[in-house]
Structure formats: structure tokens, C-alpha cells
Amino acid sequence: MVAAAATLTGVSAPSTPTDRVMLRGLRGYGRHGVLESERRLGQTFLVDLSIELDTRAAADADDVSQTVDYGDVARDVLGIVEGEPVALLETLAQRICDAILGHDRVQAVDVTVHKPSAPVQAPFDDIAVSIRRTRA
């Protein structure tokens, strides 16, 4: 029925569903930034992820080995956030994407890195960089 409806509207139905595993508000303490004070003092960073993959096999088998383990993903992300300092949020987000795409079943990932205590001399609620990467 879905395929028939999609054909009627001129849009073909995808052959592989795009399911998402999402992690929001992962917190880690890092020393990222352009300023020396940011590297010395550090601050809390937050990361949001939307990971795209086909979860049908995992759902059918009720088997975590057939999907991406969000515990492993969280450890990977925190290892990067709490690890080697970088100057730019863009670099941090790219490193996180690279790590998540290293999981075999992942087809795409959206990453947002928040820096809520950025040294900006203006009132703000949040500063963040969002990127999307797909498997080549």
C-alpha cells in the first residue's frame, strides 16, 4: 500500500528504511577552543546525535548486535570530547562523525556540538555547530 501510494505521487519508496537512533545532551568536559584560557580551564560540551541505519534485523531478532549500541556510541563520543583538544567546534564535530561512521551498520549521522559557555561577549543561550555526514 505504501509503495502504491508513493508511485501515485511520483515518488518512489526507499528500498531501505531510514531508522534513527538518537542521543541528546551527552555531556563531557573538554579543553577545546581557540583561546589559551579555554585550553587551560576547559568547559562542558554537549553533543546531540541522530544516527541513521536499518534497524529491522535488530527488531526482528531483538538483538543489540544487529544495531548500533548507543552505550558504545556514547563512550566513543565522550572519548573524543574529553580527549585531544582542538581549536574549532567544526573539527570536534567532524571527529565525532568519523567515529560514528566507523560503526558498520551506520549509514549517516547528524552531529551537533554545543558550547554553552563559549567566551563570547554577548548574551546568548547556546552556540553550536551541526554537521551531517554519510557513508561514502
Side-chain angles (χ1 to χ4, degrees):
M1 184 71 158
V2 172
T7 302
L8 290 175
T9 61
V11 178
S12 61
S15 60
T16 303
T18 303
D19 305 323
R20 291 183 189 84
V21 172
M22 294 187 280
L23 289 81
R24 300 278 183 244
L26 290 171
R27 285 181 178 79
Y29 197 82
R31 299 180 181 278
H32 311 289
V34 174
L35 303 177
E36 186 278 328
S37 60
E38 294 178 286
R39 299 284 183 110
R40 185 173 29 85
L41 299 173
Q43 60 189 288
T44 298
F45 291 81
L46 295 112
V47 178
D48 300 328
L49 303 167
S50 179
I51 303 166
E52 295 180 12
L53 69 160
D54 185 348
T55 63
R56 290 179 295 183
D60 289 345
D62 196 26
D63 181 0
V64 71
S65 72
Q66 300 295 313
T67 188
V68 63
D69 184 330
Y70 47 80
D72 291 343
V73 168
R75 281 186 290 282
D76 290 349
V77 170
L78 290 179
I80 294 166
V81 169
E82 296 174 348
E84 178 186 357
V86 298
L88 302 178
L89 289 179
E90 292 85 345
T91 305
L92 190 58
Q94 182 64 54
R95 288 183 178 183
I96 292 168
C97 281
D98 291 344
I100 303 312
L101 286 170
H103 293 263
D104 291 337
R105 297 182 188 283
V106 174
Q107 295 302 308
V109 61
D110 293 289
V111 172
T112 301
V113 178
H114 303 265
K115 190 174 182 179
S117 299
V120 174
Q121 301 305 311
F124 67 91
D125 290 329
D126 189 23
I127 291 179
V129 169
S130 294
I131 67 173
R132 175 180 176 78
R133 299 294 182 263
T134 59
R135 185 169 301 285

